Amino acid sequence: MDQKRELSSIDLAALVTELNRYEGAKVDKAYLYDDDLLRLKLRDFDRGRVELMIEVGDIKRAHAADPDHVADAPGRPPNFAKMLRNRMSGADFAGVEQYEFDRILTFEFEREDQNTTLVAELFGQGNVAALDETGEVIGALSTVRLKSRTVAPGSQYEYPASRLNPLDVSRGAFDRHMRESDSDVVRTLATQLNLGGLYAEEVCTRAGVPKETPIEEATDDQLGALHDALARIDERLRSGDVDPRVYEESVDGEEDGESSDEEPRVVDVTPFPLAEHEGLPSVGFDSFNAAVDEYFYRLGSEETDEGEAPADAGASRPDFEEEIAKQERIIEQQKGAIEGFEEQAQAERERAELLYAHYDLVDEVLSTVREARANEVPWDEIAETLDAGAERGIPAAEAVVDVDGGEGTVTVELEEEGDDGGTVTVELNASEGVEVNADRLYREAKRVEEKKAGAQEAIESTREELEAVKERKAEWEEQQAADDGGEGDADGADGEGDDEEYETDWLSRSSIPIRSPDDWFERFRWFHTSTGYLVIGGRNADQNEELVKKYMSKHDRFFHTQAHGGPVTLLKAAGPSESADPVDFSEETLREAAQFAVSYSSDWKDGRGAGDAYMVEPDQVSKTPESGEYIEKGSFVIRGDRTYFEDVPCRIAVGVQCEPVTRAIGGPPSAIVDRAAAHVTFEPGMYAQNDAAMMAYRNLKERFTDQSFVRKVASADLLQEFLPPGGSDIVD
């Protein structure tokens, strides 16, 4: 059977009860993995470290995780994680609720200066939105702009339309909804009553009602039995009376008395045993949260094992690319470590400087605590006294966010200078003065910088190893060429030459080396035609002006759309510093340039499936208007005859190019498909530009074994650069 990848509404109802047991835990830090997995690290007085995981990608889940199941923190946090750290560090977890019977959880976090709500949408494309006290969206993983609802920074958060809750519906309303259906019992429960397929079948089994019973043939007693079965499930969930199960399935099955030698795989997790899974082995757990955590941890481990690239069978050629990729990956990691050391050292220095900037306030806090401890006042009473002082508005007491008697520390929150400054928390040794605490921070900054110097030396060593591998590769290839000398002509009639001898399956490679280009045209819209010519377009009026004045040469072609609001598009005959001869561009090349112009114009933004474009020679383009007329910035006067391209489709493909360079690319599908190792095609549609980019990113990432490679060269932000403004849909 298929493995469960998303939690159901009933699952979430069971989880809410258990997650609320962590009420009062303090937020320490927020992390974001792969743009769809949010991790909140909390500290609970009774339980210690708590890891709250919210995933909204291909897998959709929300639960507290065993710290041993949590991956190491990713590198530099993206803006969404930074925003959450700024708003929620030190906040108290105030509880979680399920929105109606939907797959939506609302997490509340309270802090003295501001409260934050996190809304986790565990359905559809998935999303996490952060709201302020008024319900306004501060930030979200994905922006949603639909006719029915909007989730975008600066707007009020809008929940989806209400759904019927089958667990608390009255008997009369239940009968009415069931009788309105023209299907059978199980399908009606699954769709009209929002139970989903599995739990609809479970309710039928528990009620003793045949699943395929047509609604018109169902008796009142049968409907009553179904309603009672739902009521019993509701009562069990509300009371927390769970008996969680993780269900397993043998990989090869157990037929003819032969059992599989492989470990069984997980297929489902439920808050109580299901009659529908009676034939499956299961493992019991003390809590549903623990069961969910174990299930998704094992699911991820199984998929990682299955996704390992097989060894290259029979290849006598040394895998230089793998070794080169390994060394380049190490260098990238070392560069990331250096950036992390720089940030950490800077942060420690800034904390030290803040202590001096708020010297009087910090000194008052430390003096108060030292005096109390000298009088043998218990730490708990010190914390209570500071809390009372904060309620009375005493600044020094208000600055204290934590008192840790076990460590002998006091943590204060200090405001950064400047209009854009936020707040920074600083942990202080309560037995020392301001100067000693500041000196400790300076020394820590220096220690981190010494680690940075060590990492820089390590990079140089790794680069030497990388060069050595490249030299061995060159020597091996030179030797192979010598060994094969003279054979090529004799074999020419049989084969295609050596160009395809080592054709690479990029999607299956476990590691892809990054070869980043630095081309002059990348700040514009651009693509290379299927015949190899460069096409560039302006992103705004300034770039339109620049393209015509600086980059248009006499043998190029100028394209524009009939519709207003299109980019200046140039089909280049040569590069900006190259001499060019007249070019007889093929019809295919010209139509690709026309499609590029149409797709990035208002035709796409207005939702039209096609548009018209025209082409002229550069000498027909002028900035000089007719007498008495005015030309807007980015616009031009076209004189003379035009070549028209009619009914050009609005279509754009985005993808990942792996050779000869690695980068995100986008443009007319006919020009992209053969260049990209994987691609996604779009047409005008309903999804906002950034949401469409995220859809493309997730689609592409899943197709590569080396998913970290996709994150580096074709993130959602990079792919968005190639998507037209306006709504888009993926073309199946």
Side-chain angles (χ1 to χ4, degrees):
M1 63 183 292
D2 292 338
Q3 292 176 293
K4 182 179 200 164
R5 305 184 71 80
E6 301 180 359
L7 294 175
S8 70
S9 294
I10 285 181
D11 296 335
L12 295 180
L15 276 172
V16 162
T17 300
E18 295 186 3
L19 288 176
N20 276 316
R21 295 169 186 167
Y22 296 103
E23 183 177 344
K26 284 192 177 294
V27 177
D28 186 8
K29 195 169 285 188
Y31 305 89
L32 186 62
Y33 301 75
D34 295 344
D35 300 317
D36 56 24
L37 173 58
L38 177 65
R39 166 191 166 199
L40 295 180
K41 182 180 177 182
L42 302 94
R43 290 174 287 113
D44 184 86
F45 182 77
D46 296 319
R47 300 174 179 85
R49 174 179 164 191
V50 177
E51 299 284 3
L52 178 60
M53 313 296 286
I54 303 173
E55 189 167 8
V56 294
D58 178 47
I59 289 176
K60 295 180 175 64
R61 58 182 174 128
H63 59 88
D66 185 324
D68 291 339
H69 292 174
V70 176
D72 291 339
R76 180 181 301 178
N79 289 335
F80 187 75
K82 288 181 181 178
M83 177 272 293
L84 292 183
R85 292 182 183 186
N86 186 50
R87 286 192 61 91
M88 295 171 53
S89 178
D92 293 325
F93 173 49
V96 56
E97 293 182 353
Q98 180 182 15
Y99 176 69
E100 298 185 347
F101 191 66
D102 219 326
R103 285 178 292 167
I104 299 177
L105 294 183
T106 302
F107 296 85
E108 299 291 347
F109 298 89
E110 297 179 350
R111 202 170 71 180
E112 288 186 1
D113 58 335
Q114 57 191 2
N115 297 336
T116 304
T117 300
L118 285 187
V119 183
E121 300 180 354
L122 304 173
F123 64 90
Q125 294 295 322
N127 202 2
V128 177
L131 320 180
D132 66 12
E133 297 92 334
T134 68
E136 182 178 301
V137 178
I138 311 158
L141 291 183
S142 299
T143 300
V144 178
R145 298 186 188 276
L146 304 174
K147 290 183 178 179
S148 59
R149 62 191 293 257
T150 297
V151 180
S155 66
Q156 286 291 308
Y157 178 81
E158 300 178 44
Y159 286 97
S162 297
R163 303 173 66 207
L164 175 71
N165 185 345
L167 299 183
D168 65 4
V169 65
S170 67
R171 172 63 194 276
F174 176 81
D175 286 2
R176 184 171 63 256
H177 280 90
M178 294 293 288
R179 293 296 184 194
E180 288 174 351
S181 173
D182 57 2
S183 184
D184 56 25
V185 169
V186 71
R187 287 185 175 86
T188 303
L189 287 171
T191 58
Q192 303 303 313
L193 274 295
N194 303 314
L195 274 175
L198 175 63
Y199 282 102
E201 294 182 355
E202 180 71 15
V203 168
C204 289
T205 300
R206 293 186 176 209
V209 177
K211 303 170 187 176
E212 297 81 10
T213 304
I215 285 295
E216 63 268 20
E217 296 179 13
T219 66
D220 288 343
D221 287 344
Q222 287 178 319
L223 293 185
L226 292 169
H227 187 261
D228 289 344
L230 284 169
R232 289 193 296 272
I233 291 176
D234 179 50
E235 174 60 28
R236 191 163 188 175
L237 291 173
R238 290 180 184 275
S239 65
D241 178 21
V242 295
D243 184 9
R245 290 287 188 273
V246 169
Y247 287 95
E248 301 174 332
E249 181 181 70
S250 174
V251 175
D252 298 324
E254 297 184 4
E255 300 177 359
D256 300 327
E258 295 183 4
S259 61
S260 170
D261 292 332
E262 297 186 45
E263 290 292 324
R265 66 172 191 161
V266 294
V267 292
D268 202 358
V269 57
T270 61
F272 37 74
L274 298 187
E276 292 300 302
H277 288 342
E278 189 173 3
L280 291 175
S282 65
V283 180
F285 287 81
D286 293 334
S287 71
F288 186 46
N289 183 86
V292 171
D293 176 42
E294 179 68 16
Y295 174 84
F296 283 108
Y297 176 69
R298 286 182 58 184
L299 178 66
S301 300
E302 291 166 8
E303 291 183 342
T304 299
D305 293 341
E306 292 172 2
E308 289 178 352
D312 186 4
S316 59
R317 180 180 194 264
D319 194 354
F320 293 114
E321 284 77 11
E322 178 67 25
E323 182 63 21
I324 289 172
K326 175 183 177 182
Q327 299 299 333
E328 289 178 336
R329 186 167 61 250
I330 291 173
I331 289 174
E332 288 300 316
Q333 292 171 348
Q334 290 168 333
K335 287 181 178 178
I338 288 174
E339 291 178 0
F341 292 148
E342 290 173 346
E343 291 180 358
Q344 185 181 351
Q346 179 64 20
E348 296 297 341
R349 280 193 295 270
E350 289 176 354
R351 287 189 178 94
E353 291 164 4
L354 274 177
L355 294 186
Y356 285 113
H358 298 273
Y359 188 98
D360 291 341
L361 183 145
V362 176
D363 183 58
E364 183 177 350
V365 171
L366 293 173
S367 298
T368 300
V369 174
R370 285 203 306 274
E371 182 179 349
R373 291 301 296 157
N375 293 325
E376 299 184 350
V377 177
W379 284 100
D380 289 346
E381 289 187 19
I382 293 174
E384 292 172 1
T385 301
L386 289 170
D387 287 342
E391 292 178 1
R392 295 198 304 273
I394 299 174
E398 289 179 325
V400 177
V401 295
D402 187 45
V403 176
D404 188 339
E407 298 293 332
T409 61
V410 176
T411 301
V412 295
E413 187 174 69
L414 305 175
E415 292 185 1
E416 295 179 299
E417 297 181 349
D419 295 336
D420 298 330
T423 58
V424 175
T425 57
V426 185
E427 187 177 76
L428 305 170
N429 185 332
S431 64
E432 307 289 352
V434 178
E435 294 85 353
V436 174
N437 277 284
D439 183 62
R440 174 177 52 82
L441 294 171
Y442 281 125
R443 282 188 280 108
E444 177 63 15
K446 184 177 180 180
R447 186 188 67 82
V448 172
E449 286 179 331
E450 290 172 353
K451 292 174 65 177
K452 170 188 167 184
Q456 288 173 327
E457 292 177 2
I459 280 186
E460 293 305 316
S461 175
T462 307
R463 282 176 176 156
E464 291 176 2
E465 293 179 15
L466 175 60
E467 289 305 314
V469 176
K470 289 181 177 179
E471 289 177 7
R472 291 200 303 272
K473 176 186 175 185
E475 291 172 359
W476 188 92
E477 291 175 342
E478 184 177 347
Q479 183 61 47
Q480 288 297 107
D483 293 344
D484 296 339
E487 298 179 6
D489 294 339
D491 296 340
D494 297 330
E496 298 295 330
D498 292 337
D499 289 346
E500 297 182 5
E501 184 177 357
Y502 301 121
E503 183 175 346
T504 305
D505 179 5
W506 295 108
L507 300 184
S508 299
R509 285 199 60 166
S510 60
S511 179
I512 302 175
I514 296 176
R515 300 177 295 279
S516 301
D518 185 19
D519 293 314
W520 63 271
F521 49 76
E522 289 190 331
R523 62 191 184 90
F524 301 104
R525 295 197 185 279
W526 67 274
F527 81 101
H528 284 102
T529 68
S530 52
T531 51
Y533 290 99
L534 174 66
V535 176
I536 49 179
R539 295 183 180 275
N540 50 48
D542 288 333
Q543 287 195 351
N544 284 345
E545 294 271 347
E546 183 180 3
L547 286 177
V548 170
K549 293 179 179 179
K550 184 176 180 180
Y551 292 104
M552 186 170 68
S553 302
K554 63 179 181 179
H555 298 307
D556 297 343
R557 298 292 187 273
F558 177 100
F559 287 80
H560 205 275
T561 56
Q562 284 290 86
H564 181 71
V568 162
T569 299
L570 298 182
L571 171 57
K572 296 292 295 175
S577 60
E578 302 170 354
S579 60
D581 296 322
V583 177
D584 185 15
F585 294 109
S586 68
E587 182 65 21
E588 178 185 21
T589 297
L590 297 177
R591 288 201 67 84
E592 286 175 351
Q595 186 173 25
F596 179 87
V598 167
S599 295
Y600 290 107
S601 74
S602 58
D603 286 320
W604 187 293
K605 194 170 185 179
D606 294 341
R608 291 189 283 270
D612 300 335
Y614 63 82
M615 176 187 72
V616 296
E617 302 285 340
D619 59 9
Q620 295 177 251
V621 182
S622 173
K623 192 65 180 174
T624 305
E626 300 295 337
S627 178
E629 293 184 353
Y630 168 74
I631 298 296
E632 294 181 353
K633 187 175 186 179
S635 299
F636 301 89
V637 176
I638 306 299
R639 295 185 172 92
D641 295 336
R642 310 178 184 189
T643 300
Y644 285 93
F645 300 84
E646 297 180 343
D647 201 26
V648 179
C650 288
R651 289 284 175 95
I652 286 293
V654 297
V656 183
Q657 183 178 3
C658 294
E659 56 182 350
V661 296
T662 52
R663 62 183 171 193
I665 57 175
S670 59
I672 299 302
V673 170
D674 290 339
R675 279 192 175 85
H679 72 279
V680 180
T681 302
F682 285 92
E683 63 185 2
M686 63 185 292
Y687 292 100
Q689 190 184 45
N690 57 341
D691 294 329
M694 181 59 71
M695 292 162 59
Y697 167 67
R698 290 173 177 169
N699 183 302
L700 294 169
K701 187 180 70 170
E702 290 172 358
R703 292 153 69 179
F704 280 83
T705 299
D706 186 2
Q707 295 189 354
S708 65
F709 164 75
V710 183
R711 286 199 301 271
K712 293 174 183 175
V713 304
S715 65
D717 289 341
L718 292 173
L719 292 173
Q720 186 173 333
E721 294 291 316
F722 293 96
L723 289 175
S728 300
D729 273 334
I730 291 179
V731 179
D732 295 329

